[in-house]
């Protein structure tokens, strides 16, 4: 009894500061979004006249910086989903080939995948820009999609390979004896059993693309092509930034990841830690 | 219905040779058990037959057709793994019908065949459950069901009962045996458990270090083991063995071991030949002190009800004696033992081979 209480107290002692530390900026953002322009910088913990007007302005694109808000939101969404799906396709097939089919050279691919993380993504931004230029992909959504798939894939392959290794190999042998071709094995046995890890890795890639700023900034430039984070960045280019609108748009921008996180939380934890399926 | 034959089969993993030239034939409908200690190459041999491992040299034929280069799925075999290897995301029904589904059999055919297998194995109530919702014995049955749905030429089992508790193991043993008697499909069954081998097999292949030690019907192996390895591997409690020297005098023969004189009766072996003398525990009897006998001190008495097992110190060796009934002996007591006439086994000490009589 005593011990439990002490442990709990310790946990709270750590937990409360951490919670405040992470929640404060979010609360701040929320405050801005329900304050009028005049009240935004009043420094109060709760506005005198909370209002939802800012949301109306954002949703109806009633400001110069918000002219393409929904278009940009859609761009972000499309790009993020495409990156998630393509990364999964690349990583699942690679992990399957390396881990289950024991393709020759698999180790080399894995080591290369790990090695790419010694090079910061920012270093590759300019070469990537040149490469996209060479393929005339600049200003096309494909440039950002391909760039993000490139960045997300090595880690995704690595994680899926580890998870694949934990599937009992006898399942593959049983399927082979049952007459499954490698593709049938992939589709009918491997993918269903890997589902938790696939969800986790797909979500990882999707959020990576959703959050990306640097590459989006470099590769896309027309107002109707850019993604939300870049558009939000434009707010800061004015001397008199409409902070309350920036924060409101930011809050809307932060909602999908939170929703995805809650929808797939179960899989994220299971996928990234255990990933194993008992036979 | 099919025969299987192994012809000078060898297997190496890299530079390590684990199967050293094995040849034998399995008749159509036969239940053949491969038995041997762990690591002797049983699974490797079975997996070569299944097409899961390459054959380094030699040939394996099913129904007279060499299958070395034939894909697993075209060998028409079914295998039951030790871990069962059931597909965790499929129901029992889907597990059993998977092969047929891959072959694009029509739904009705799949359903009838799954239903028939389920009926044979009493799995009907569980068809819509998932493997994780089944007990060990039920999973085992599903694994067998998956095999029989396919109606293959050969069934392969790799230690299918090792993950079950002792009681269930005995029960499944007879179920598998009954299934074989019903379906009469050629079966190759791998186990390290000699009791499983003895009780289930039509014939047994005893393996050791990648070689075949002996092939034969269970009781033939028991009664006439070709060498010391088989003698000690088959039978429980294990055969007693004593090393010594053959002595012959005036038409009677005995084994001299550490000053103990073991009367052997009519057995082979030349005077002075170094041998190992073997006798099964049930062929040692409590004797009267006035006949030919060996004296020993009782160490342990283990009554099991129908039988009593005695551990007895004779000279430098300890021997086990199994006798029916409940003899009145106690630890520490000195008793007289006799070997039942004609029941001794003599092996050359150097080669371990049985001396022919
Ligand atoms: N894939 C493998 N690579 C290397 N050595 C192996 C492999 N599979 C089995 N072996 C070796 O081959 C020998 C026989 O193994 P196995 O057939 O599994 O024995 P058993 O089934 O009789 O216990 C063992 O010494 C084992 O270490
Ligand atoms: Mg084995």
């Amino acid at each position: 009894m005593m011990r439990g209480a002490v442990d709990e107290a310790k946990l709270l002692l750590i937990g409360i500061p951490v919670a405040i530390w992470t929640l404060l900026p979010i609360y701040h953002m929320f405050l801005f979004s329900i304050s009028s322009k005049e009240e935004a910088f009043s420094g109060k913990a709760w506005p005198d006249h909370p209002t939802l007007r800012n949301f109306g302005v954002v949703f109806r694109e009633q400001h110069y910086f918000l002219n393409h808000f929904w278009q940009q939101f859609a761009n972000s969404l499309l790009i993020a989903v495409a990156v998630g799906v393509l990364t999964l396709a690349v990583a699942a097939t690679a992990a399957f080939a390396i881990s289950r089919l024991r393709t020759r050279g698999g180790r080399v691919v894995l080591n290369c995948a790990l090695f790419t993380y010694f090079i910061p993504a920012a270093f590759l931004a300019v070469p990537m820009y040149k490469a996209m230029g060479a393929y005339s992909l600049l200003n096309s959504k494909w440039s950002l999609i391909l760039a993000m798939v490139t960045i997300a894939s090595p880690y995704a392959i690595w994680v899926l390979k580890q998870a694949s290794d934990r599937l009992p190999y006898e399942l593959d042998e049983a399927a082979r004896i049952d007459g499954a071709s490698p593709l049938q094995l992939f589709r009918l046995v491997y993918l269903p059993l890997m589902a938790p890890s696939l969800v986790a890795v797909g979500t990882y890639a999707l959020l990576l693309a959703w959050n990306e700023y640097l590459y989006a900034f470099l590769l896309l430039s027309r107002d109707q092509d850019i993604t939300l984070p870049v558009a939000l960045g434009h707010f800061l280019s004015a001397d008199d930034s409409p902070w309350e609108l920036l924060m409101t748009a930011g809050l809307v921008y932060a909602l999908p990841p939170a929703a995805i996180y809650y929808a797939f939380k179960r899989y994220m934890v299971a996928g990234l830690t255990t990933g194993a399926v008992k036979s | 219905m099919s025969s299987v034959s192994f012809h000078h089969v060898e297997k190496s993993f890299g530079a390590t040779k684990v199967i050293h030239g094995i040849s034998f034939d399995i008749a159509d409908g036969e239940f053949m058990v491969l038995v041997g200690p762990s690591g002797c190459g049983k699974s490797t041999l079975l997996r070569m037959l299944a097409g899961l491992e390459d054959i380094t040299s030699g040939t394996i034929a099913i129904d007279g057709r060499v299958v070395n280069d034939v894909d697993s799925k075209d060998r028409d075999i079914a295998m039951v793994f030790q871990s069962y290897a059931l597909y965790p995301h499929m129901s029992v029904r889907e597990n059993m019908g998977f092969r047929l589904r891959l072959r694009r059999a029509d739904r009705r055919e799949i359903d009838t065949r799954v239903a028939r297998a389920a009926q044979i194995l009493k799995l009907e109530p569980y068809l819509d459950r998932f493997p994780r919702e089944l007990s060990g014995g039920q999973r085992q049955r599903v694994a067998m069901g998956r095999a029989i749905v396919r109606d293959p030429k050969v069934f392969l089992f790799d230690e299918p009962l090792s993950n079950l508790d002792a009681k269930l193991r005995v029960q499944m043993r007879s179920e598998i045996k009954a299934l074989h008697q019903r379906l009469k499909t050629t079966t190759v069954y791998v186990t390290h458990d000699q009791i499983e081998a003895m009780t289930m097999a039509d014939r047994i292949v005893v393996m050791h270090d990648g070689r075949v030690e002996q092939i034969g019907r269970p009781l033939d192996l028991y009664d006439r083991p070709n060498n010391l390895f088989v003698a000690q591997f088959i039978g429980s409690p294990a055969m007693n063995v004593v090393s010594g020297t053959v002595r012959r005098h005036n038409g009677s023969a005995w084994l001299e071991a550490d000053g103990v004189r073991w009367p052997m009766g009519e057995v082979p072996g030349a005077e002075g030949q170094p041998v190992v003398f073997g006798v099964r525990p049930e062929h040692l009897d409590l004797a009267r002190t006035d006949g030919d006998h060996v004296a020993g001190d009782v160490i342990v008495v283990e009554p099991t009800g129908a039988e009593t097992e005695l551990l007895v110190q004779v000279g430098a060796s300890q021997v086990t004696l199994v006798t029916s009934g409940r003899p009145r002996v106690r630890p520490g007591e000195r008793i007289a033992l006799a070997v039942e006439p004609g029941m001794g086994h003599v092996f050359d000490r150097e080669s371990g081979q049985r001396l022919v009589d």
Side-chain angles (χ1 to χ4, degrees):
Chain A
M1 273 304 282
M2 239 355 253
R3 260 196 63 133
V6 170
D7 281 349
E8 203 156 299
K10 280 190 205 156
L11 211 61
L12 285 178
L13 218 60
I14 303 168
I16 290 173
V18 169
I20 292 176
W21 180 261
T22 41
L23 289 180
L24 206 60
I26 296 173
Y27 180 65
H28 198 210
M29 183 160 78
F30 175 67
L31 269 192
F32 264 87
S33 70
I34 59 165
S35 303
S36 61
K37 195 171 179 64
E38 298 71 42
E39 248 187 325
F41 286 95
S42 65
K44 293 193 181 124
W46 189 254
D48 293 332
H49 307 286
T51 168
L52 292 178
R53 252 203 67 239
N54 293 331
F55 287 93
V57 174
V58 170
F59 290 162
R60 274 180 247 124
E61 305 185 331
Q62 285 164 342
H63 189 280
Y64 168 70
F65 285 121
L66 291 166
N67 275 343
H68 302 282
F69 179 77
W70 287 119
Q71 176 68 49
Q72 289 155 351
F73 189 92
N75 291 345
S76 272
L77 203 63
L78 183 78
I79 288 169
V81 169
V83 169
V85 170
L86 283 180
T87 304
L88 272 187
V90 170
T93 44
F96 177 71
I98 296 169
S99 167
R100 310 310 289 185
L101 301 181
R102 316 241 165 117
T103 307
R104 299 180 89 205
R107 277 226 71 82
V108 179
V109 172
L110 272 185
N111 288 331
C112 290
L114 198 61
F115 181 73
T116 57
Y117 285 97
F118 290 109
I119 309 166
F123 276 27
L124 297 176
V126 172
M128 196 75 90
Y129 179 84
K130 299 272 294 178
M132 293 303 172
Y135 289 108
S136 311
L137 286 171
L138 288 176
N139 281 328
S140 149
K141 290 189 186 63
W142 280 108
S143 63
L144 185 54
I145 293 172
L146 292 176
M148 294 317 293
V149 170
T150 309
I151 292 168
S153 288
Y155 175 72
I157 292 174
W158 187 265
V159 169
L160 288 186
K161 153 77 167 67
Q162 300 300 320
S164 307
D165 285 348
R166 284 187 288 252
L167 295 182
Y169 196 64
E170 286 185 345
L171 283 182
D172 297 37
E173 294 183 334
R176 263 170 71 193
I177 293 180
D178 271 344
S181 66
L183 263 180
Q184 286 172 319
L185 180 63
F186 180 70
R187 204 158 48 82
L188 302 173
V189 178
Y190 180 79
L191 286 185
L193 292 180
M194 288 290 287
S197 305
L198 294 177
V199 170
V201 167
T203 312
Y204 153 78
L206 190 149
L207 292 184
L208 194 75
W210 180 264
N211 294 336
E212 178 62 22
Y213 180 81
L214 176 63
Y215 277 77
F217 175 74
L218 275 178
L219 298 172
L220 305 172
S221 45
R222 286 196 307 254
D223 269 352
Q224 59 272 34
D225 290 338
I226 57 175
T227 57
L228 265 190
V230 179
L232 294 180
H234 286 174
F235 273 72
L236 301 175
S237 61
D239 295 335
D240 176 26
S241 300
W243 282 90
E244 75 290 353
L245 294 181
L246 170 60
M247 291 303 189
T248 309
L251 201 64
V252 175
Y253 168 66
L255 288 180
I260 288 173
Y261 176 76
Y262 277 103
F264 295 131
K265 195 169 62 170
R266 207 161 48 89
Y267 291 105
M268 300 281 285
V269 175
L272 292 178
T273 57
T274 65
V277 177
K278 286 211 184 92
S279 57
Chain B
M1 293 285 148
S2 293
S3 61
V4 172
S5 66
F6 293 84
H7 190 69
H8 297 300
V9 172
E10 298 189 345
K11 174 72 186 178
S12 305
F13 288 108
T16 330
K17 201 166 183 184
V18 297
I19 301 282
H20 304 267
I22 284 185
S23 304
F24 62 90
D25 294 321
I26 303 171
D28 184 19
E30 196 169 22
F31 196 113
M32 184 68 111
V33 174
L34 308 183
V35 70
S38 172
C40 71
K42 311 175 292 287
S43 295
T44 304
L45 199 61
L46 192 75
R47 291 166 56 79
M48 285 194 281
L49 173 56
L52 297 173
E53 300 280 1
D54 290 336
I55 299 162
T56 307
S57 74
T59 56
I60 295 178
I62 297 175
D63 244 359
R65 175 171 80 129
V66 172
V67 293
N68 286 37
D69 298 320
V70 176
D71 227 34
S72 274
K73 67 170 193 290
D74 301 323
R75 293 189 187 191
D76 205 357
I77 42 135
M79 183 154 169
V80 175
F81 294 84
Q82 177 174 350
S83 67
Y84 316 141
L86 301 178
Y87 309 117
H89 58 298
M90 295 184 201
S91 67
V92 168
R93 187 192 303 280
E94 290 166 332
N95 262 284
M96 300 209 318
F98 190 57
R99 157 89 173 188
L100 298 173
R101 181 175 149 207
L102 290 178
R103 282 205 307 198
R104 305 192 190 290
D106 72 54
R107 274 224 70 80
R108 274 218 314 287
E109 189 197 344
I110 297 180
D111 284 347
T112 42
R113 284 171 75 167
V114 168
R116 205 193 55 149
Q119 187 221 332
I120 293 173
L121 292 161
K122 302 188 189 66
L123 281 170
E124 285 137 323
Y126 309 110
L127 278 176
D128 293 311
R129 290 208 198 167
F130 286 90
R132 63 175 176 277
E133 299 165 329
L134 300 176
S135 70
Q138 290 162 346
R139 286 182 203 180
Q140 172 63 60
R141 266 196 218 110
V142 176
M144 289 183 353
R146 195 165 64 176
I148 67 178
V149 160
R150 302 182 28 190
D151 196 13
K153 285 184 178 163
V154 188
F155 280 143
L156 310 181
F157 291 87
D158 193 353
E159 312 236 4
L161 305 183
S162 304
N163 291 356
L164 301 178
D165 62 46
K167 191 165 166 225
L168 205 50
R169 197 146 59 209
V170 173
Q171 185 192 332
M172 289 309 296
R173 203 159 81 193
S174 29
E175 280 190 28
I176 294 179
K177 190 71 192 146
L179 188 68
H180 176 254
Q181 269 150 15
R182 172 169 180 169
L183 302 175
K184 305 215 163 38
T185 307
T186 311
T187 301
V188 188
Y189 185 105
V190 161
T191 177
H192 65 270
D193 180 348
Q194 59 91 20
I195 295 188
E196 259 173 47
M198 292 294 286
T199 51
M200 300 175 81
D202 290 329
R203 280 195 305 154
I204 297 176
V205 178
V206 182
M207 290 179 59
H208 181 214
D209 282 346
R211 293 191 169 79
V212 170
E213 294 285 350
Q214 191 172 355
I215 301 178
R217 289 197 302 257
L219 292 181
D220 292 345
L221 297 188
Y222 190 83
D223 293 338
R224 283 184 60 85
N226 269 349
N227 52 52
L228 255 179
F229 178 82
V230 176
Q232 291 193 279
F233 191 79
I234 300 287
S236 167
M239 181 187 281
N240 297 302
V241 292
V242 182
S243 358
T245 315
V246 176
R247 293 287 173 219
R248 289 188 179 281
H249 188 67
N250 282 348
S252 68
W254 67 92
L255 178 87
E256 196 174 281
D258 306 314
V260 177
R261 178 184 159 132
W262 287 84
M264 298 198 299
E266 291 302 307
V267 292
E271 157 72 22
Q273 185 174 0
V275 296
V276 174
F277 177 63
V279 59
R280 296 211 177 268
E282 69 273 24
H283 296 146
L284 273 179
D285 295 331
L286 293 171
R288 289 153 44 139
T289 43
D290 51 4
D292 252 353
H293 74 274
V294 187
D297 299 310
V298 177
I299 306 172
V300 179
V301 180
E302 290 180 344
T304 59
E307 295 179 329
T308 304
E309 199 175 312
L310 304 180
L311 184 63
V312 183
Q313 184 83 40
V314 179
S317 334
Q318 291 188 344
V319 297
T320 308
L321 175 160
V322 173
T323 178
S324 62
R326 304 170 184 185
R328 274 195 218 118
V329 293
R330 293 176 174 200
E333 201 173 310
R334 177 148 270 247
I335 57 170
L337 305 176
V339 177
E340 277 179 28
M343 290 304 182
H345 307 262
V346 185
F347 304 95
D348 182 65
R349 204 193 301 168
E350 187 112 3
S351 65
Q353 294 301 308
R354 180 186 194 87
L355 295 186
V356 276
D357 27 348

